[in-house]
Amino acid sequence: MALKPEPTAPFLSVQYALRVLETVSKHGDGVTGTQISRETGLPAGHLAPLLLTLRREGYVEQVTDGAYVVGSSLLLIGSGPARRQALESRLQRILAQLRDSVGAAVYISRYVDGEIRITQYADGPHTPAVNEWVDFRSSAHASAVGKCLLAQLDQNGRRDHISRHKTPRLTSRTITNEKVLLSKLDSQPATVPVLDLQEYAVGTVCAAVPLTAGASAGCLALSLPVEDAHRLRAAAETLNRRAAPVLLSMAL
């Protein structure tokens, strides 16, 4: 099944970041910001904050003469089991940082072989994870994660999923009408967080933003107890702004 072609804002950031990393990797002795701008075609106004993010995440380092070289985080990512372990460890650190910055449990989910999978998450004593009282694979119509992933599929992919996983009522707010659900998915803007306002579980609100890396749909999500619902939109926007490092790690 095909993914919708619209790139998200974080995805575009990663495209630019990959151009920069390719340029830095070509210059083993270091390369200046001016040269990076010339070779990538990125204007200084876009390049400066991007280099700052790459430095903060450890993908590039700035040496004494101001030139940029490949950073330790990029060197860790090789191939085979070592690459997977390094990637998972790095993603877990990023998720822990996001959890602390937004004050909510955070999750990475992927749509793999027609099913929803939570691949990694970070919670804590003050940021509890969602109680999975109904299997996430069977509740895509109600959860922010599920709706965000389905929104990235084409119409055939969505209909295929709904044909295999029906849309039962989980709370009084759950969308159970398939036509209404498909219409909402079709109208969901790619750069706007998907919300779950007690549709999956009473007492919990969630938000998810798309992470489209490679051939599969993915998303970054958070959950809050309903008493903190007033923080949901601001937390979702923070999650959206900080999705690029997560997507970059997944893309590498």
Side-chain angles (χ1 to χ4, degrees):
M1 62 191 68
L3 299 182
K4 293 177 71 177
E6 299 92 335
T8 65
F11 181 68
L12 290 175
S13 296
V14 170
Q15 285 184 316
Y16 300 151
L18 290 175
R19 286 191 210 169
V20 172
L21 291 177
E22 288 171 357
T23 301
V24 174
S25 297
K26 288 191 301 183
H27 297 271
D29 296 328
V31 58
T32 65
T34 301
Q35 183 66 20
I36 294 173
S37 179
R38 184 180 303 117
E39 294 190 22
T40 61
L42 294 176
H46 287 88
L47 183 60
L50 183 54
L51 283 171
L52 182 61
T53 297
L54 293 174
R55 286 179 61 194
R56 184 175 62 241
E57 300 297 330
Y59 287 113
V60 300
E61 296 176 4
Q62 197 167 21
V63 293
T64 53
D65 63 355
Y68 293 91
V69 296
V70 171
S72 58
S73 293
L74 192 57
L75 292 173
L76 281 175
I77 302 177
S79 60
R83 177 189 183 279
R84 179 175 294 277
Q85 183 176 1
L87 176 58
E88 290 178 354
S89 296
R90 176 170 181 76
L91 282 174
Q92 196 62 40
R93 289 195 299 272
I94 293 174
L95 288 181
Q97 293 169 356
L98 283 173
R99 174 200 62 203
D100 295 341
S101 66
V102 301
V106 292
Y107 316 78
I108 292 178
S109 183
R110 303 293 291 271
Y111 195 76
V112 182
D113 297 330
E115 299 294 348
I116 292 170
R117 296 182 184 177
I118 304 293
T119 56
Q120 283 182 258
Y121 69 95
D123 62 352
H126 303 294
T127 53
V130 174
N131 174 31
E132 190 178 354
W133 76 284
V134 175
D135 193 323
F136 288 139
R137 293 174 297 179
S138 304
S139 55
H141 65 295
S143 70
V145 163
K147 290 185 292 181
C148 187
L149 292 175
L150 292 181
Q152 295 173 61
L153 306 182
D154 60 15
Q155 284 286 352
N156 290 335
R158 295 171 192 165
R159 292 184 184 280
D160 171 73
H161 185 92
I162 293 174
S163 71
R164 292 180 290 106
H165 299 287
K166 300 304 180 182
T167 56
R169 186 176 302 280
L170 305 184
T171 76
S172 63
R173 295 174 177 267
T174 305
I175 298 174
T176 59
N177 184 292
E178 293 183 10
K179 289 184 178 179
V180 173
L181 176 63
L182 289 171
S183 176
K184 283 187 173 294
L185 292 174
D186 193 48
S187 62
Q188 175 66 35
T191 57
V192 175
V194 179
L195 303 182
D196 160 15
L197 304 177
Q198 300 190 87
E199 297 170 50
Y200 171 76
V202 174
T204 301
V205 294
C206 305
V209 297
L211 293 174
T212 305
S216 64
C219 74
L220 183 62
L222 63 84
S223 63
L224 289 167
V226 70
E227 54 265 28
D228 290 333
H230 62 281
R231 297 201 294 112
L232 181 63
R233 292 186 184 276
E237 291 300 328
T238 299
L239 198 72
N240 204 12
R241 289 195 303 269
R242 298 193 59 186
V246 179
L247 184 51
L248 180 58
S249 291
M250 294 169 65
L252 292 172

